Amino acid sequence: LGNLCLSKMDYRNASEYYVQALKLFKSAGNMNGAAITLTNLGVAARSDGSYQIANTRFEESLNLFRSLNNTKGIAHSLCNGGITNIRIGETDKARAWLQESLSSLHESGDQQGIAEVFEGFGSLSVELENWADAAVFFGFAETLRETIGAPLTLAESEDYNRETALLKSASPETASQYWKRGSELSMDIAIAFALGLTPQATAVIS
């Protein structure tokens, strides 16, 4: 029910259902279920604009996933937490979390997760007004989502549409040029760019 409410952007009811589920998972000793539910609580809080609460939930889910050695859960908590850190101005921490998440997701071959991380890097670049970088990240993520058939959800679209509109209005020519360049990158080059590796990264925006 929480997931259904979240998909309908009913964040208050989603959170209430997730709180109930969290209590049940903990009482049953299902710590993996509890960690997933903490992540969902974080997503609901962030979508509702409660960024500090979201940050706390992602920290909790990350710590729990680490204790369980759940690499997929760790990677997704890092991605969600990284995006939330952007919202509260912790840009250095956001970059570090997104990069750690990306390395893990690439190793596991989770392409939808990779698309989400690249959108996170796009958000970070918009926050820092690095318009060329933002366009590369969003361009790559868009093409990857189209390739794997994983469109944005309604909740995801809200922030995405706002940030890409800001990018395109702030620097239209740069957005157009580098969005196209991002859409044409190979996976390996795109990841090298996101991780700040050289000379691949320098070549992308030269």
Side-chain angles (χ1 to χ4, degrees), residues 169-186:
S169 65
S171 188
E173 291 185 9
T174 297
S176 176
Q177 176 185 351
Y178 286 97
W179 193 293
K180 182 176 185 296
R181 186 169 295 186
S183 72
E184 296 170 346
L185 293 180
S186 68

Side-chain angles (χ1 to χ4, degrees), residues 26-101:
K26 285 184 173 180
S27 65
N30 185 341
M31 292 298 100
N32 190 66
I36 292 170
T37 305
L38 283 166
T39 299
N40 290 337
L41 276 165
V43 171
R46 186 181 66 210
S47 299
D48 200 31
S50 300
Y51 300 127
Q52 293 290 352
I53 293 173
N55 188 55
T56 299
R57 295 292 175 257
F58 291 132
E59 291 270 9
E60 292 172 342
S61 70
L62 177 61
N63 290 335
L64 190 47
F65 278 129
R66 287 198 192 280
S67 74
L68 297 168
N69 293 316
N70 184 325
T71 55
K72 180 178 180 179
I74 292 168
H76 284 279
S77 289
L78 285 166
C79 176
N80 280 301
I83 292 169
T84 305
N85 280 312
I86 298 167
R87 307 287 184 255
I88 60 176
E90 296 284 348
T91 54
D92 289 341
K93 186 176 180 181
R95 187 182 304 279
W97 280 35
L98 290 170
Q99 288 180 334
E100 185 180 347
S101 176

Side-chain angles (χ1 to χ4, degrees), residues 81-136:
I83 292 169
T84 305
N85 280 312
I86 298 167
R87 307 287 184 255
I88 60 176
E90 296 284 348
T91 54
D92 289 341
K93 186 176 180 181
R95 187 182 304 279
W97 280 35
L98 290 170
Q99 288 180 334
E100 185 180 347
S101 176
L102 179 58
S103 296
S104 178
L105 293 167
H106 182 43
E107 186 175 338
S108 67
D110 184 343
Q111 294 196 66
Q112 182 169 339
I114 290 170
E116 292 170 3
V117 173
F118 270 86
E119 287 153 2
F121 278 117
S123 298
L124 176 60
S125 299
V126 167
E127 177 71 17
L128 298 174
E129 298 186 0
N130 293 334
W131 307 121
D133 287 10
V136 169

